Amino acid sequence: MRQHTSIFRILVPLVLATALCFAGRSHAGRAVGAEAAFDLVITNARVVDGAGNPWFRADVGVKDGRIARIGRINASEGGRTIDARGQILAPGFIDVHAHVENLYEQPDAENFVRMGVTTLVTGNCGGSAVDVGKFLDRAKETPVAVNIATLVGHNSVRRAVFGDADRAPTPEELEKMKALVEAAMRDGAVGLSTGLIYVPGTYAKSDEIVELARVVARHGGLYATHMRSEGERVSEAIRESIEIGEKAGLPVEISHFKVSNKRLWGKSADTLGLVRDARARGLSVTVDQYAYTASSTSLDSRLPSWLLEGGREEGKKRLADSLQRARVMREMKDSLKRSGFKDFSYAMVASYRVKPEFNGKSIAEITKIARGKKDIESQIAQIVEMYEAGGASMVYHSMSEEDVRRIMREPFTMIASDSGVRKYGEGMPHPRGYGNNARVLGLYVRDLRLITLEDAIRKMTSLPAQTFGLRDRGLIREGMAADLVIFDEAKVSDPSTFDKPHQYAVGFHYVIVNGVPALDGGRMTTERPGIALRGAGAVGPR
Ligand SMILES: [Zn+2]
């Protein structure tokens, strides 16, 4: 009897393991047969490991979603072999600044996969699911092509507790916000994000954010911020971000680092210096960046924040009052003047539902069409009219190439798209959602030699993984998750432009997520191998 028990103890797990193994393999579309040492072997690759080291030649064997061996591997040891033909094999790219709350509606995330992305961090700029556990659990019911992690957004939490009010929270409201942040961290958020130019985050003072960030610090998360200013007051905003990190005792990530005031073009030397100084004092501060001189956000962000309080209907009521309307016009004129731009020709419509024919045109052009003239007052009146009609998403050509390059060269800068999942052919969105990583690898690495290939890949892999606490990703090492990308460094490019954005990145042949190809020989598969990634503070079953 005893012997039987012990045989069962050995046999049952063995049978189970074999069954699981076969299930896993048939899921990946491979033949079921004799047990191979690897599910997948990539041969003849030039490996860029993500740490910044020069490439080396090796085969990589994948087993059960992990990197099982790096070195010489006999083809007969593997289930399937992919010949990389001397192309670059790198860790899958980790895009830490995404806005993909709608990922489950477009689970193939093709625009990301086709530029090498295997992990997205969403919940940026203050906007996220408030119930982070529910959001991450959806990846089980609705499988997605890429891994998903999320921050918890300050704006979303604030709105859930006391709406869009322009005031500080009461002590009770603050406690409620802290409880929501605490729950989000325990459910697996990787940190807290703010969007301090957006309603209602823009009404928050520093101390409110410090209180919430302290909760996040206790759970090992970071503070990612779309700062109060990226233009006129950018230095002040950087100081505030660093101070919040210092007071709350957690790492700071400054999102989409830029200088968007024309008068301050070239000042990235100083703004990067503020980050360097903080690091020299022992504070963990990093930044991310997309590789373009244009940003993209709402039209509302051009309007004074006091107008936006309580939502669009409230704003429209205020505009119906001639005195308040005149104040809006005056403040917008002043703010344009301070921005260094002569008019709103730097502001292009990406998507305007009321009149899609405006998509792709600048506010100056639209004003000329709609009003027959394009003086500043008319342009501002046009913006206000479009705000009243429901607003628009915009592309703002507001940065200098010199600053973009200087920021990219900085060792603590990572590459991130600031993009959502794109609907192919819809609107005139910023091309970063299709091309960001490809643009860095093609234009800035190969054509301009601004940074090396190995450094660019480090900025897309191990640096984001380290910063956001994704400890088993971002490096090609035995035991790490098998998120891998194979691309041709001579051909990689970003055909997506501001005029013709809906074009996928070129040069990526394989994008492998947890050992399973999402892109296979240049073709999208129907596999959805992504999983939810939870932060260090997560409790309970994963
Ligand atoms: Zn943002």
Side-chain angles (χ1 to χ4, degrees):
M1 198 57 205
R2 263 192 192 160
Q3 263 188 342
H4 271 106
T5 315
S6 60
I7 283 170
F8 261 78
R9 274 192 191 141
I10 297 165
L11 269 181
V12 171
L14 245 179
V15 169
L16 268 176
T18 314
L20 280 173
C21 185
F22 280 157
R25 297 174 84 212
S26 57
H27 170 70
R30 283 183 290 276
V32 174
E35 182 67 10
F38 306 105
D39 301 326
L40 178 67
V41 174
I42 299 160
T43 59
N44 197 19
R46 279 188 291 147
V47 177
V48 176
D49 71 356
N53 297 322
W55 64 263
F56 63 103
R57 275 190 196 278
D59 307 326
V60 171
V62 172
K63 179 75 174 167
D64 298 332
R66 303 253 145 203
I67 296 167
R69 198 196 299 165
I70 303 165
R72 264 226 181 265
I73 302 176
N74 205 320
S76 64
E77 290 179 86
R80 179 185 173 189
T81 302
I82 292 173
D83 182 354
R85 285 187 254 151
Q87 293 179 8
I88 300 298
L89 173 65
F93 303 154
I94 299 172
D95 189 335
V96 296
H97 196 97
H99 293 279
V100 294
E101 271 55 50
N102 66 344
L103 179 62
Y104 301 108
E105 276 100 72
Q106 273 178 274
D108 63 350
E110 186 167 358
N111 57 304
F112 288 107
V113 169
R114 285 194 176 273
M115 59 171 167
V117 174
T118 55
T119 295
L120 293 166
V121 179
T122 193
N124 279 287
C125 304
S128 76
V130 176
D131 188 340
V132 161
K134 198 168 149 199
F135 176 78
L136 293 175
D137 279 344
R138 282 187 70 188
K140 282 187 214 145
E141 302 138 34
T142 309
V144 289
V146 296
N147 303 311
I148 178 77
T150 189
L151 297 147
V152 58
H154 166 243
N155 287 14
S156 302
V157 165
R158 198 180 208 264
R159 182 172 291 131
V161 174
F162 65 107
D164 285 344
D166 181 359
R167 62 171 173 82
T170 64
E172 295 76 36
E173 285 164 346
L174 184 60
E175 286 311 309
K176 278 189 193 158
M177 288 169 75
K178 282 160 78 173
L180 286 175
V181 169
E182 169 103 32
M185 292 306 294
R186 293 169 69 90
D187 284 342
V190 292
L192 172 75
S193 78
T194 52
L196 300 178
I197 68 160
Y198 300 118
V199 171
T202 189
Y203 307 130
K205 303 271 187 318
S206 263
D207 55 353
E208 171 186 328
I209 302 161
V210 170
E211 287 290 319
L212 301 178
R214 282 194 176 122
V215 177
V216 174
R218 280 206 300 277
H219 295 279
L222 88 167
Y223 172 58
T225 179
H226 179 151
M227 301 186 296
R228 235 177 257 285
S229 170
E230 297 178 325
E232 201 185 356
R233 299 204 167 131
V234 61
S235 295
E236 232 174 289
I238 293 170
R239 283 193 196 94
E240 180 190 23
S241 309
I242 293 168
E243 199 179 302
I244 288 168
E246 189 165 22
K247 283 186 176 160
L250 82 180
V252 176
E253 168 81 2
I254 302 179
S255 304
H256 39 59
F257 199 81
K258 63 170 79 75
V259 177
S260 64
N261 180 304
K262 199 170 177 183
R263 287 184 183 172
L264 297 179
W265 280 4
K267 291 286 182 193
S268 56
D270 300 343
T271 57
L272 287 166
L274 293 173
V275 178
R276 258 183 248 134
D277 291 349
R279 293 187 62 87
R281 287 195 288 128
L283 303 171
S284 175
V285 186
T286 47
V287 313
D288 59 73
Q289 173 197 36
Y290 46 83
Y292 299 82
T293 52
S295 66
S296 179
T297 187
S298 62
L299 181 68
D300 292 14
S301 67
R302 298 305 100 165
L303 293 144
S305 62
W306 61 263
L307 176 74
L308 309 175
E309 192 196 357
R312 200 170 306 276
E313 289 313 309
E314 292 301 311
K316 280 159 77 174
K317 279 183 208 158
R318 289 180 193 111
L319 285 164
D321 173 80
S322 62
L323 277 177
Q324 297 201 61
R325 191 180 193 91
R327 184 181 159 202
V328 168
M329 302 288 287
R330 202 168 56 238
E331 288 186 12
M332 285 179 70
K333 204 172 168 183
D334 285 350
S335 125
L336 175 69
K337 204 170 178 185
R338 292 197 308 272
S339 75
F341 295 96
K342 64 178 196 328
D343 67 0
F344 287 97
S345 48
Y346 78 97
M348 317 281 292
V349 172
S351 173
Y352 181 51
R353 277 180 214 286
V354 181
K355 288 192 177 155
E357 62 268 30
F358 286 175
N359 297 352
K361 294 193 168 63
S362 77
I363 290 294
E365 290 171 305
I366 289 166
T367 308
K368 180 80 179 143
I369 293 166
R371 294 164 188 262
K373 48 186 180 175
K374 57 172 201 171
D375 57 287
I376 306 289
E377 280 79 12
S378 300
Q379 289 187 34
I380 294 174
Q382 183 64 31
I383 292 173
V384 170
E385 184 190 313
M386 289 167 69
Y387 161 75
E388 289 178 304
S393 74
M394 302 291 294
V395 167
Y396 298 109
H397 292 268
S398 59
M399 294 167 245
S400 78
E401 181 66 27
E402 180 201 349
D403 287 322
V404 167
R405 291 186 191 187
R406 188 183 288 118
I407 294 164
M408 197 179 291
R409 278 200 305 263
E410 195 69 37
F412 52 67
T413 302
M414 54 204 90
I415 305 298
S417 70
D418 196 4
S419 174
V421 188
R422 293 282 187 247
K423 284 204 172 76
Y424 193 84
E426 197 176 288
M428 291 286 275
H430 195 299
R432 63 196 181 189
Y434 285 101
N436 193 46
N437 296 297
R439 182 173 173 82
V440 171
L441 297 168
L443 177 64
Y444 291 104
V445 169
R446 183 189 57 228
D447 299 347
L448 297 171
R449 296 177 188 278
L450 182 77
I451 52 174
T452 65
L453 176 68
E454 288 83 353
D455 198 35
I457 289 173
R458 181 186 66 81
K459 290 167 174 291
M460 300 173 187
T461 58
S462 69
L463 180 59
Q466 172 182 298
T467 308
F468 283 72
L470 309 172
R471 281 174 300 221
D472 63 346
R473 318 241 156 204
L475 286 168
I476 296 187
R477 295 271 195 276
E478 290 173 6
M480 299 292 264
D483 292 346
L484 300 163
V485 51
I486 299 174
F487 66 92
D488 184 344
E489 62 166 327
K491 296 223 173 86
V492 63
S493 69
D494 60 317
S496 178
T497 60
F498 290 96
D499 294 333
K500 280 190 168 178
H502 296 285
Q503 301 189 72
Y504 291 114
V506 169
F508 292 86
H509 298 128
Y510 294 89
V511 176
I512 295 161
V513 182
N514 298 307
V516 178
L519 187 75
D520 194 335
R523 270 202 289 262
M524 291 294 288
T525 70
T526 53
E527 303 284 352
R528 302 280 183 266
I531 58 169
L533 303 178
R534 289 175 168 80
V539 292
R542 301 274 166 126

